[in-house]
Amino acid sequence: MKKLLGIGFWELIARIILRNRLAFIVAIVAITTLLAMQWKNIRFSNTEANLIPADDQVNVDYNKFLKVFGEEGNLVVVGTKDPKLFTPKIFKAYVELMRKIAKDPEVGLVLSVDNLKVLQKNEAKETFEMVPFVDQTKLGDALYLQSVRQNLLQKLPFYSGLLYNKHKNAVRSAIYLKKNIVNTKARKEYILGRFTDHIKTFENTYHIDLRVSGMPYIRSYNSKTITDEIGLFIGAALLITSLLFFFFFRSFRATLIALVIVVVGVMWSFGIMGAIGYEITVLTALVPTLMIVIGIPNCIFFINKYHQEYYKHANKAKALQRVITKTGTATLMTNITTAVGFATFIATNNVLLQEFGVLTTINIIAVYVLSLLLIPIFFSYIPAPIPRHLGHLERKYLTGFFVWIVNTVKYNRLSVYGIALILLIFGIIGIYKIKISGSIIEDMPKKTDFFTDIRFFENEFDGVMPLEIMIDTKKKNGALKMSNLRRMEELEETITDIPELSQPLSIVSVAKYAKQTYYNGNPEYYQLPTAQEELFIAKYIKNTIKGKNENSFKSYLSDDQSVARITTFIKDENGEKMPWIEKQIRQKADKLFPNERYNVIITGRSSVFQKGTNYLLDNLLSSLLFAFFVTGGLVALMFRSFKMVLVSIIPNLLPLLMTAGLMGFLGIPLKPSTLLVFGIAFGMSVDDTLRFLAQYRLELSRNDWKIKKAVFATFDDAGISMFYTSIVLFFGFSVFMLSSFGGTIALGGLVAITLCFGMLSNLVLLPSLVLSLNKSLANKQEFLEPTIAILEHTDEELDALEETKN
């Protein structure tokens, strides 16, 4: 390994690159063309992110539910509180709107006031009949429409919570999409196209504010926002990083070269995504922008090194060669550590994160290779730098900043340790204040119309996120036994008593409605039949469904009527209360339905998502520990010193603890988006550590193993690149704060803050630790024979090698 990554290896690489410039350019153009041809394979995800492995019991239970009752997320609701809806002109238009929607091939069923069917008792035939609730011939009668509204609110408790809320005078229609399109492109195209056109046309014509929500609607507009923001991120990242790049180097040519490299990197990222067959999700959509944010620092490091070398001897050919020979292994290892930070997501056993980890890891190495190849090649074709281009090496604001750092490290190390200790305590205290969020909609864009509509339905109908309870009686027709219906009714009473849940829907509601109908629609009889009443009402029900092959109650019962379903809805803002809510339901269910006779499953999208967040937390913590282990292993291979491993880890651990503490004090919860911060930030922050230590070892050999001289000389060489790259990364990740998604904003802001802390920690705390432990870390023999020749090579070593070659 030593020989593989030693001076001779990189000298060979430099010679191959510079002697075959045209061949490499042609190869890169060919690869870019091939990958661009894969863009046609890119697809946007039409399924919801599942954070739990397929074989986990939570997913097993959810899939059991789907197998019995089918897709649950096919309901779209349209609601309003506007009393003008029940005026003749507008009500007729609303009827026509619902008819248009019902005719769309993507729609399976529309349940609305205008087409509502109610049960009516036919004593002669001893059966129940479905009759229209609204007389279509009286739609022009204002008094009749008001009576319709009153009858709906007062006499049809079966539809309470589904079509109306009498306490808040809100009314809505339920639109059930066909289940086979819910997880397909057709669902998104329909919602964003004809369905939205229907709604907007009605609103603009009659000035009625219709609120629309439901999982198909939310998912469609959420994915549209993700798609729209990809271009925003890429454009903003290119603009900000190129402006910073030009500010640092004051060279249009250098800026243009850097932009070409990152644009090619973005093209490759899309091509790799298409070639692998990954879909664009909320995470993979960030990858192209990340390639810009990560690629520009690579360009800064190589170009800054080129300028430093040219500044020394004014020989362009030698400077270009030494960019590779002096920094090849160091830059390779720093990019590997960055890739490791993202690769930790591959170990989470979650498809969404695994795809994100795979894509970022591959593309980080790809962008590094592009930088290594194209920067020497492009600069070999253009004139040598002029004094204006090299002026950044001696700027006053930089020299003043590093003078302050050097003086702090020289004379105030105790203060540095004191501040570090205070920040550590701050972080630890803040960590205990962090809450875990299992909210599905918390990260969704708050300023969009569809998010406002979500809040409307949460306030008026107690939520749109379903929570499902599936009760398996293990006996055919067992769910219809009156004893089991009474048990379900008692469980529903517990659900109703939980303020975060809506009124439940189940076969119990059907049985109550049957009794109400038997007593001529009197709402006072909306209750379960007594044992005596059951005999009469059961006869009516049997006559009603006689001759019908289809399961009349398929929304509530399995085909063999052994399994019943209770559906309620939860206010998503109470995601953190989900464990408590499930505990209350589970305790009551276990009491009513003993495990030896029944099987009760509590599931639904909101429940699965909340459990997924907890699962993700456990996995990412273990992945982060793995990243620490890998980084420590790399440092150990480089320096053969366990104490050096500790010295390298501490400055990177402190910023993570600081950020975690800040999250606790600011009330930013742990959720899928913020959990990603720590792995990403660690992988990128540790780059500065490796660069500093690599330069430090070089300066040791230059300065006759005098620790203090070596540390302070390190600032002169590596300090500028560390500062430049950290600034670019800070502003680069800040680009994500332009997002309308709360999770993406938190990800960008927290990573930026962590990297800022990381830069200061690596420039102040790291050298302070090295100086304080200099006697322990000054083992000359260990540094003379590192396991991997990662370190930059001295000019004397390179000159001697070149003389040997000549």
Side-chain angles (χ1 to χ4, degrees):
M1 178 71 87
K2 224 174 15 171
K3 291 182 179 179
L4 179 63
L5 298 180
I7 301 174
F9 173 78
W10 289 109
E11 197 272 346
L12 174 63
I13 294 297
R15 191 163 62 248
I16 292 173
I17 292 173
L18 294 173
R19 289 182 180 179
N20 299 277
R21 296 174 296 175
L22 187 59
F24 278 112
I25 290 175
V26 171
I28 290 172
V29 170
I31 294 172
T32 304
T33 303
L34 289 173
L35 289 175
M37 293 171 64
Q38 298 300 317
W39 294 356
K40 66 179 182 296
N41 297 322
I42 296 176
R43 299 287 184 271
F44 293 94
S45 177
N46 293 305
T47 58
E48 280 191 292
N50 193 327
L51 303 177
I52 304 177
D55 57 353
D56 189 272
Q57 189 59 45
V58 173
N59 264 338
V60 171
D61 288 345
Y62 184 59
N63 288 329
K64 282 182 181 178
F65 169 82
L66 294 180
K67 185 176 180 181
V68 175
F69 294 105
E71 175 62 47
E72 59 162 341
N74 67 325
L75 172 64
V76 177
V77 287
V78 179
T80 185
K81 290 186 70 174
D82 196 327
K84 290 186 296 184
L85 178 66
F86 288 91
T87 57
K89 180 180 179 181
I90 294 177
F91 193 82
K92 285 182 180 179
Y94 189 76
V95 169
E96 184 60 28
L97 170 66
M98 290 299 123
R99 286 175 179 171
K100 284 182 180 179
I101 293 175
K103 290 178 181 178
D104 289 335
E106 295 84 0
V107 176
L109 173 68
V110 173
L111 191 60
S112 183
V113 176
D114 61 285
N115 68 357
L116 196 63
K117 295 292 188 358
V118 294
L119 287 179
Q120 181 174 286
K121 181 182 176 183
N122 187 327
E123 293 189 31
K125 296 181 180 180
E126 293 186 322
T127 185
F128 294 131
E129 297 175 340
M130 299 291 290
V131 298
F133 175 60
V134 176
D135 186 344
Q136 300 293 323
T137 64
K138 297 182 179 181
L139 297 184
D141 188 337
L143 292 177
Y144 172 72
L145 292 180
Q146 290 303 313
S147 68
V148 166
R149 182 173 179 271
Q150 290 301 316
N151 288 337
L152 176 68
L153 299 180
Q154 303 297 330
K155 296 184 178 181
L156 292 175
F158 176 75
Y159 293 107
S160 176
L162 178 63
L163 295 184
Y164 72 87
N165 184 334
K166 68 178 180 181
H167 301 296
K168 297 184 179 181
N169 294 318
V171 179
R172 70 181 182 183
S173 298
I175 300 162
Y176 294 89
L177 301 186
K178 291 179 179 177
K179 293 183 178 181
N180 62 339
I181 73 159
V182 171
N183 291 318
T184 68
K185 186 179 179 181
R187 178 261 305 163
K188 181 179 176 182
E189 291 178 343
Y190 172 65
I191 292 294
L192 299 180
R194 281 175 291 129
F195 179 81
T196 297
D197 290 342
H198 292 325
I199 300 297
K200 293 297 182 185
T201 300
F202 178 86
E203 288 181 323
N204 294 334
T205 304
Y206 300 100
H207 307 290
I208 296 289
D209 184 19
L210 295 182
R211 304 302 184 114
V212 186
S213 195
M215 290 308 298
Y217 189 82
I218 293 170
R219 289 169 59 191
S220 298
Y221 272 92
N222 199 45
S223 63
K224 179 180 183 297
T225 308
I226 293 172
T227 305
D228 293 344
E229 289 189 351
I230 293 177
L232 170 67
F233 291 154
I234 293 175
L238 284 173
L239 177 64
I240 290 176
T241 54
S242 60
L243 288 176
L244 285 171
F245 197 95
F246 181 77
F247 175 76
F248 291 149
F249 292 102
R250 305 297 169 89
S251 170
F252 285 107
R253 288 178 299 191
T255 304
L256 182 60
I257 289 171
L259 285 177
V260 168
I261 291 171
V262 295
V263 167
V264 172
V266 169
M267 295 173 70
W268 282 23
S269 67
F270 280 117
I272 291 170
M273 193 184 305
I276 296 177
Y278 288 169
E279 295 179 330
I280 292 181
T281 65
V282 68
L283 289 182
T284 56
L286 304 179
V287 173
T289 308
L290 284 173
M291 292 310 101
I292 299 173
V293 175
I294 295 171
I296 287 292
N298 274 332
C299 296
I300 287 175
F301 191 77
F302 282 120
I303 294 174
N304 187 64
K305 178 58 66 177
Y306 169 59
H307 285 175
Q308 287 177 333
E309 290 297 320
Y310 185 81
Y311 185 78
K312 290 178 184 177
H313 44 67
N315 186 322
K316 188 175 83 168
K318 181 186 287 189
L320 289 173
Q321 187 177 44
R322 288 190 174 180
V323 166
I324 300 171
T325 54
K326 292 184 69 173
T327 65
T329 309
T331 52
L332 173 63
M333 298 306 291
T334 52
N335 276 272
I336 286 176
T337 55
T338 301
V340 166
F342 287 93
T344 56
F345 302 130
I346 300 174
T348 59
N349 198 23
N350 171 263
V351 174
L352 187 71
L353 288 170
Q354 286 174 340
E355 291 181 355
F356 178 65
V358 169
L359 276 177
T360 48
T361 301
I362 293 173
N363 282 288
I364 286 168
I365 301 302
V367 169
Y368 163 71
V369 172
L370 283 172
S371 303
L372 180 68
L373 293 175
L374 292 181
I375 287 177
I377 290 174
F378 284 161
F379 275 96
S380 70
Y381 283 111
I382 64 176
I386 60 177
R388 176 169 57 87
H389 298 155
L390 305 178
H392 67 95
L393 299 174
E394 296 179 342
R395 289 208 180 114
K396 290 184 179 180
Y397 70 85
L398 273 181
T399 55
F401 176 68
F402 281 104
V403 166
W404 171 78
I405 288 179
V406 168
N407 288 333
T408 301
V409 174
K410 267 186 181 180
Y411 307 114
N412 298 296
R413 288 200 293 277
L414 287 179
S415 299
V416 170
Y417 298 143
I419 293 173
L421 182 61
I422 291 172
L423 294 177
L424 176 64
I425 295 171
F426 169 87
I428 293 173
I429 294 173
I431 286 173
Y432 284 98
K433 296 179 178 290
I434 293 180
K435 295 181 180 180
I436 299 175
S437 171
S439 168
I440 296 178
I441 68 170
E442 183 174 4
D443 283 346
M444 290 182 182
K446 303 287 192 298
K447 296 180 181 179
T448 57
D449 291 338
F450 80 85
F451 188 86
T452 304
D453 289 350
I454 291 173
R455 292 305 188 202
F456 170 84
F457 285 103
E458 285 192 335
N459 293 331
E460 305 301 329
F461 291 92
D462 296 324
V464 293
M465 303 300 167
L467 181 66
E468 306 281 358
I469 298 99
M470 188 170 76
I471 303 168
D472 186 358
T473 65
K474 302 179 181 180
K475 293 181 180 179
K476 187 176 181 179
N477 300 320
L480 288 176
K481 289 184 61 176
M482 188 55 62
S483 58
N484 287 331
L485 291 176
R486 295 199 182 281
R487 289 188 177 95
M488 283 188 275
E489 181 185 35
E490 190 172 345
L491 181 59
E492 289 186 5
E493 290 172 358
T494 299
I495 294 172
T496 304
D497 290 340
I498 298 174
E500 291 78 19
L501 298 180
S502 70
Q503 182 174 324
L505 302 170
S506 73
I507 191 64
V508 173
S509 304
V510 176
K512 290 180 178 180
Y513 189 30
K515 178 175 177 177
Q516 178 189 354
T517 305
Y518 185 79
Y519 286 99
N520 300 312
N522 188 338
E524 293 183 4
Y525 288 94
Y526 185 74
Q527 53 192 247
L528 285 177
T530 63
Q532 185 177 4
E533 291 168 333
E534 182 185 358
L535 297 175
F536 304 106
I537 295 174
K539 185 177 181 180
Y540 273 74
I541 293 175
K542 287 179 180 178
N543 291 336
T544 301
I545 64 176
K546 185 185 297 183
K548 295 182 179 180
N549 295 325
E550 186 180 356
N551 179 5
S552 302
F553 307 111
K554 60 183 177 181
S555 296
Y556 305 106
L557 295 172
S558 61
D559 290 337
D560 65 354
Q561 299 178 347
S562 65
V563 182
R565 167 190 186 181
I566 299 176
T567 300
T568 183
F569 295 90
I570 184 171
K571 292 182 179 180
D572 191 74
E573 62 186 0
N574 297 299
E576 64 181 26
K577 294 184 179 180
M578 182 65 75
W580 177 83
I581 291 172
E582 288 197 18
K583 182 180 179 182
Q584 300 300 307
I585 297 174
R586 174 60 64 186
Q587 287 178 345
K588 188 67 174 181
D590 288 345
K591 181 179 178 181
L592 294 171
F593 303 99
N595 293 330
E596 60 271 13
R597 293 170 52 200
Y598 302 90
N599 181 29
V600 178
I601 292 175
I602 302 173
T603 186
R605 293 184 187 276
S606 52
S607 175
V608 171
F609 189 87
Q610 196 276 334
K611 291 181 175 71
T613 302
N614 290 328
Y615 174 86
L616 189 60
L617 175 60
D618 294 339
N619 276 264
L620 284 181
L621 287 176
S622 60
S623 298
L624 191 58
L625 291 174
F626 174 73
F628 277 119
F629 176 79
V630 171
T631 302
L634 288 173
V635 175
L637 288 173
M638 287 187 285
F639 299 106
R640 296 172 60 187
S641 169
F642 177 72
K643 291 181 180 178
M644 187 60 81
V645 171
L646 293 179
V647 167
S648 66
I649 293 295
I650 291 172
N652 292 289
L653 181 60
L654 183 62
L656 299 183
L657 293 174
M658 267 291 299
T659 300
L662 201 60
M663 289 173 60
F665 283 109
L666 295 179
I668 301 173
L670 282 175
K671 48 189 176 181
S673 53
T674 55
L675 283 170
L676 302 177
V677 169
F678 302 100
I680 294 173
F682 176 76
M684 306 195 74
S685 177
V686 79
D687 285 1
D688 283 343
T689 304
L690 292 177
R691 283 173 183 165
F692 187 93
L693 293 178
Q695 187 65 32
Y696 167 63
R697 191 271 177 184
L698 175 61
E699 297 301 336
L700 275 175
S701 62
R702 283 177 174 172
N703 292 278
D704 197 25
W705 298 92
K706 293 179 180 178
I707 303 295
K708 288 186 178 180
K709 284 187 177 181
V711 168
F712 299 130
T714 300
F715 286 114
D716 296 334
D717 200 305
I720 293 177
S721 292
M722 291 169 64
F723 175 77
Y724 282 174
T725 54
S726 296
I727 293 299
V728 169
L729 288 172
F730 176 83
F731 285 101
F733 274 97
S734 297
V735 162
F736 293 120
M737 297 180 70
L738 297 173
S739 174
S740 54
F741 288 88
T744 309
I745 294 171
L747 175 67
L750 290 173
V751 170
I753 291 172
T754 308
L755 291 176
C756 188
F757 286 146
M759 177 190 71
L760 294 174
S761 184
N762 280 307
L763 288 176
V764 180
L765 181 58
L766 176 61
S768 296
L769 290 170
V770 171
L771 285 175
S772 296
L773 300 173
N774 59 57
K775 292 182 181 179
S776 300
L777 298 177
N779 186 331
K780 180 175 179 179
Q781 186 61 34
E782 288 182 355
F783 283 110
L784 281 175
E785 297 293 338
T787 305
I788 298 178
I790 183 176
L791 312 167
E792 292 187 355
H793 307 294
T794 66
D795 294 334
E796 292 77 11
E797 291 173 322
L798 292 169
D799 288 337
L801 182 65
E802 288 170 5
E803 289 177 7
T804 302
K805 296 290 182 184
N806 295 330

